[in-house]
Structures are given as C-alpha cells and as structure tokens.
C-alpha cells in the first residue's frame, strides 16, 4: 500500500491511497474463501464451490466486502503511521476497485487541531456585585401572588382588558389552516402576553360569541385570520399576602420570615448568575486568544444539532412543516458562528485539562449520578440506566470535566469587583 497525505482547510487531513494489484487479489481471495465457507450453493458442499460459481452468484457482495476491508485496513494503518488523531469518521470517495487492477481511493477526516493557548493566568475579568434590594423581594412576592391567583367566571358583562378568555381557536391563511383547531384554550387579555390584534378584537366580546380577527404572526409576519369562539370569561383574583398565605406555601412562621428567606434565595441565585457571567467572560477571552481553525465536520454536526433544537421548538409552537422547512437555510447561516465558537471552546478546555492534568474519575461520575437521583427523587441505578440507554454518559463526564476546568481557571485569572 502507498499513500500520501496533506492538511487542508478546516482542520482536515486528506489521504490518497494506492493499493497494489497483489493486495487487491489477496483481499478478494480471502473474501471469496469466507463466502464459500458460509453460503450454500445447489450442487456443491459448503466450501467446495468453484471460484467462477461464487463470482456468478456472489460477485457483487464479494467486491463490496473486499473494498470495505481494503479501505478499513489501509486507512487504519495510515492513521497510525502518520500520527493522525481523527475526530470522527472519514469521508471516503473516488473508490476504484476492480479485480486484477490496482485500487485507489481518497479519505478526508477531521483532525485534532493544534491549540496554541496564551497564558490564561493573564486573563482579567470583572465580577458583578451580587446585591438584593427590597424591590427585588417585592417583585418575587408579586410573581408568587400571581401564581396562586384564583379565576372567577364572569357573567353579565363582556370581556375587558385584564380578563382571561377560555375559547376555541382556529387560524387560516389564504383559506388554508395554519394550525390545528384548539379547543378550550386560555387567552390572556393582555397585549404583552397575547397578540395585540386578538386583544383588541376580543375586547367587548360576549360569552358564546364567535369572532373573526385578522392578525400578523410575529414569527414569520404572515397575515392570517383567527376564528375565536368565546366559551367563558374569567377574572383573576389575587390572594392577600399575609402570614396565613406564607404559612400555606411553606415552613414559614410569618411574612417577615418568608421575606428574609426569599432574600437569601434571591441572593444565592444572583451570585450564581454572577459566576456564570464571570465564566463567560473567561471563555470569551480564551476564544479571542486561541489561534486555530475548528474542524469543519464537527462544526457542521453542531450546526445540525442547533437546527434540530430550533425546529423542535417551532414544532412545539405549532409552526407548520412547510414554514419550518423554509427557515432551515436561515438557521444554517444563523448558527454557524455559534457552532464554531462551541467547537473551538471544546478543544480549548480540553487542552487546558491536559495541561492541568484534569481527569474525571469513576467516583466523581457516581457522585454526580447520586446527586441527580436525589434531585429527581429516584435511585442512582435508574439514573445511570437512563444515561446509558440514551448514550449520554459521556455528556455527563464532560460536564464534570468542564466544572473542574472552570474552577482551575477561576483560581488563576485576575478577578476584580464590578458594581451593578
């Protein structure tokens, strides 16, 4: 076997292979022997059929299997000899494989890039000052009050701003359905929560009335017509915030104790947000300082994954299939920069892990599984089975590894305080 290779754009390596005719013959002979020992051909005992008979009945299978074996063996040998670290499977093309002739093919594979990191102990970041004010506690209590609201059915008056309408909804564009008809859904008479055209069109509507309301869909600016039948009108009643209320929702002695506990919870949340923002500052500087090209194949895979997430979100919002398909190319352009960033960050953090000798032990994985089990009120065995069955145990290990890398970085970068 002969081959040569060269590095090409996008952290990829291209191999060109030439397989001598002797190796082609040797590979085919071996495959035909395997086939002869496994198949039954009328008139012959297993393993005793002549070569010409095997070629007649199993020639295509033999050529395909031999080519596959030839590519696999030669490619593996070339990786080892050239010290190539592949990132994923190769793209095989230009395969020329004929009995009695020299064979050839091309393989292109993503390779691990050379990551040249500047000293990350020179990075300077600013940490936001975590502080909770009385109005923050007040906003949280208002949200809690809203979550425990009761809804009273209103009779004898039409719908007005602030109400909630239980209704049947259908939507058409140019006479064709945009969504499947929805029965008995809740619609808020609040322009910040619902389409303003719907709120305006339903103001003054009576129970039992059906209305056709033109509107523009925000996601794609499509003009549609909603048909809405009002089944009921509801009015929100907020509970009074007092000692009895907080005792009913948790182990609090009184309203003052609840406020103090809430302040601590909000402060903890804000501190976590400050740490996340700090981590992102570090990552951004690492990305700016790193000089290498992300492997194109991995970037493409990440783009596809981001597109899948986005399209699944649109499906949950009842956007029809045709409209989703029209946006695929838009998504591909939109997510390319983010995909490059994520792939490069993976290699940067992995390089830091190597430099710092960071590894993930089996014990750390078990501790993480136990914590997840505790949070989910289940057993570690069930959590492990879930991760194994869905092939995401590696993802959990990467999360643990990233957390350890982040702790190392936080101990080495220069952090100064920044007031809000």
């Amino acid at each position: 076997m002969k081959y040569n290779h060269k590095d090409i754009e996008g952290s990829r390596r291209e191999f060109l292979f030439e397989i001598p005719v002797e190796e082609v013959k040797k590979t085919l002979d071996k495959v035909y022997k395997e086939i002869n020992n496994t198949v039954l051909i009328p008139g012959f005992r297993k393993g005793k059929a002549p070569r010409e008979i095997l070629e007649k009945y199993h020639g295509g299978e033999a050529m395909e299997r031999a080519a596959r074996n030839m590519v696999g063996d030669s490619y593996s040998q070339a990786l080892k000899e050239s010290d190539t670290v592949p990132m994923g499977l190769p793209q095989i093309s230009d395969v020329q494989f004929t009995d009695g002739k020299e064979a050839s093919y091309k393989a292109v594979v993503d390779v691990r890039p050379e990551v040249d990191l500047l000293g990350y102990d020179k990075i300077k970041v600013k940490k936001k000052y975590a502080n909770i004010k009385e109005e923050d506690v007040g906003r949280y209590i208002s949200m809690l009050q809203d979550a425990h609201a009761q809804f009273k059915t209103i009779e004898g008056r039409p719908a007005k701003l602030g109400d909630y309408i239980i209704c049947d909804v259908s939507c058409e564009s140019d006479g064709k359905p945009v969504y499947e008809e929805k029965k008995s859904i809740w619609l808020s008479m609040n322009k910040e929560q619902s389409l303003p055209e719907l709120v305006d069109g339903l103001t003054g509507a009576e129970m039992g009335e059906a209305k056709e309301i033109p509107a523009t869909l925000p996601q794609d600016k499509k003009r549609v017509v909603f048909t809405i039948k009002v089944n009921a009108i509801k009015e929100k009643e907020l509970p009074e915030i007092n000692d009895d209320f907080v005792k009913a929702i948790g182990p609090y002695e009184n309203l003052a104790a609840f406020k103090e506990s809430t302040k601590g919870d909000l402060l903890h949340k804000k501190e976590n947000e400050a740490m996340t923002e700090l981590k992102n500052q570090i990552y951004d500087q690492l990305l700016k300082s790193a000089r290498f090209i992300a492997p194109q194949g991995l970037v493409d895979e990440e783009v596809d994954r981001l597109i899948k997430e986005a399209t699944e979100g649109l499906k949950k919002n009842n956007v029809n299939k045709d409209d989703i398909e029209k946006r695929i190319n838009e998504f591909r352009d939109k997510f390319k920069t983010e995909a490059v960033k994520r792939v490069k960050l993976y290699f940067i953090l992995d390089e830091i892990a190597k430099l710092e000798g960071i590894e993930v032990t089996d014990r750390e994985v078990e501790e993480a599984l136990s914590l997840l089990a505790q949070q989910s009120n289940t057993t570690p065995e069930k959590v492990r089975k879930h991760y194994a069955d869905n092939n995401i145990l590696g993802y959990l290990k990467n999360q643990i590894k990233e957390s350890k890398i982040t702790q190392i970085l936080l101990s080495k970068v220069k952090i100064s305080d920044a007031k809000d």
Side-chain angles (χ1 to χ4, degrees), residues 190-209:
N190 182 324
K191 292 185 180 182
E192 293 183 359
Q193 299 174 1
S194 304
L195 289 176
E197 295 102 320
L198 298 187
V199 176
D200 289 337
L202 290 169
T203 300
E206 303 279 355
M207 189 169 63
E209 184 178 358

Side-chain angles (χ1 to χ4, degrees), residues 351-368:
E351 185 68 18
I352 292 172
K354 285 183 178 181
L355 294 172
E356 299 291 343
I358 296 174
E359 295 181 350
V360 177
T361 65
D362 292 340
R363 181 177 178 180
E364 287 171 327
V365 173
E366 292 303 321
E367 288 174 351

